Amino acid sequence: MVVAIFIIGLSLGSFVNALVWRLHEKKDWIKARSQCVNCHHELAAIDLIPIISWIILRGRCRYCQKPISIQYPIVELITAVLFLLSYIYWPVALNGWHIAVFIFWLAALTGLIALAVYDLRWMLLPTRLIYVLMVFGLIMAIINIVGSTNRLGVSLGYLEGALIGGGIFYIIFQISKGKWIGGGDVRLGFLLGLLASTALRSFLLIFIASIIGTIVSIVLMSVSKLKRTSLIPFGPFLIISIVIVQLAGADIIKLYTRVLLGN
Ligand SMILES: [Zn+2]
């Protein structure tokens, strides 16, 4: 099973690379044929094996010899590793309707990785993709609500999570008149707040993302790649954070209350 999950992750990582490019080129998400971004030669199956093709071709296009970005194998590997971690650290036993939630999580995760890559490259979060992921998030919420014994409580949790996730960014967006964060971050906040599934986890999401963002900014500033005024996309930090919240949120909250309240 572990090997199967890893291979599925590699394939979907390959899909992420294609999706990011197709979103940017405004091509059909699924149907468009894969082609070299430089010479536009259509790629054969042998050129499309995750990681392996890149290594065999020594990072160059078979047809035009132009280098292929290292982004491709890295994204494939990251996706596979996150799929594997999701499987190993999934917070509940994978049986019954939990399997359906898990599958939609993997689908959402694939889209989130595409959003992160897109944001890193172009400082934009494609709205259409966020809306598709909101549908995945809603389906996960509905399955969890229906499967729960406390349907009202779980529903309210999702509502609060989404309102806090989106609300905080909406306020920052309004105060800064769109200078500090973009409208895409507000939509992403709603989406991730929904995935966070409770108010507390939504706060945790933003808290962890801020810590990661601060650390990365300090590191980048100290190696002087970044000026104090440079903009860095916040989306990727939020996306890393939601993975942590999804897989370890319950443990973090438990630890926090134990340390703080001594129980
Ligand atoms: Zn080429």
Side-chain angles (χ1 to χ4, degrees):
M1 196 60 194
V2 171
V3 176
I5 295 271
F6 192 78
I7 291 171
I8 294 168
L10 281 177
S11 321
L12 284 170
S14 178
F15 173 70
V16 166
N17 283 318
L19 180 63
V20 167
W21 184 75
R22 285 168 196 168
L23 276 167
H24 194 248
E25 301 290 311
K26 310 259 183 293
K27 291 211 193 282
D28 199 304
W29 289 14
I30 310 283
K31 270 186 278 174
R33 292 281 177 98
S34 294
Q35 47 173 256
C36 167
V37 292
N38 178 56
C39 68
H40 301 287
H41 194 291
E42 214 166 88
L43 298 180
I46 191 146
D47 303 320
L48 294 169
I49 308 162
I51 299 177
I52 294 167
S53 290
W54 194 89
I55 293 170
I56 291 175
L57 295 168
R58 292 196 199 83
R60 283 174 187 281
C61 169
R62 184 194 299 282
Y63 309 99
C64 67
Q65 308 303 322
K66 277 272 159 78
I68 306 165
S69 167
I70 187 112
Q71 173 207 314
Y72 291 90
I74 289 177
V75 167
E76 286 158 357
L77 194 63
I78 288 175
T79 309
V81 168
L82 290 181
F83 269 47
L84 202 57
L85 290 176
S86 295
Y87 177 69
I88 296 168
Y89 293 107
W90 196 249
V92 292
L94 279 171
N95 52 42
W97 52 271
H98 292 294
I99 296 172
V101 175
F102 180 67
I103 290 170
F104 275 101
W105 162 254
L106 293 183
L109 182 59
T110 304
L112 289 173
I113 297 167
L115 280 178
V117 175
Y118 202 101
D119 202 16
L120 283 171
R121 284 190 69 169
W122 294 295
M123 294 276 287
L124 278 171
L125 293 159
T127 308
R128 278 202 305 165
L129 181 55
I130 294 186
Y131 287 153
V132 170
L133 297 186
M134 279 181 187
V135 173
F136 291 167
L138 274 175
I139 295 171
M140 285 170 73
I142 290 166
I143 300 171
N144 271 326
I145 290 165
V146 172
S148 157
T149 47
N150 174 18
R151 287 181 187 164
L152 182 65
V154 174
S155 309
L156 284 175
Y158 275 106
L159 192 64
E160 288 168 2
L163 286 179
I164 287 166
I168 288 176
F169 288 105
Y170 182 73
I171 291 166
I172 298 173
F173 181 76
Q174 288 297 333
I175 290 174
S176 71
K177 299 196 167 64
K179 277 195 201 111
W180 298 340
I181 56 167
D185 293 309
V186 179
R187 285 184 283 271
L188 182 67
F190 270 109
L191 165 66
L192 299 183
L194 176 69
L195 290 174
S197 79
T198 67
L200 192 57
R201 287 161 66 100
S202 211
F203 281 122
L204 187 63
L205 163 81
I206 292 164
F207 179 66
I208 294 173
S210 309
I211 291 177
I212 300 172
T214 308
I215 293 171
V216 171
S217 303
I218 290 170
V219 169
L220 286 178
M221 266 193 270
S222 66
V223 296
S224 74
K225 276 200 166 170
L226 191 76
K227 295 199 180 76
R228 199 171 274 273
T229 49
S230 313
L231 277 174
I232 44 169
F234 195 58
F237 304 132
L238 278 171
I239 290 164
I240 296 167
S241 179
I242 191 65
V243 176
I244 297 171
V245 168
Q246 178 67 46
L247 300 180
D251 291 330
I252 295 170
I253 290 166
K254 223 182 283 170
L255 186 76
Y256 182 79
T257 47
R258 198 165 57 204
V259 170
L260 204 73
L261 309 171
N263 50 9

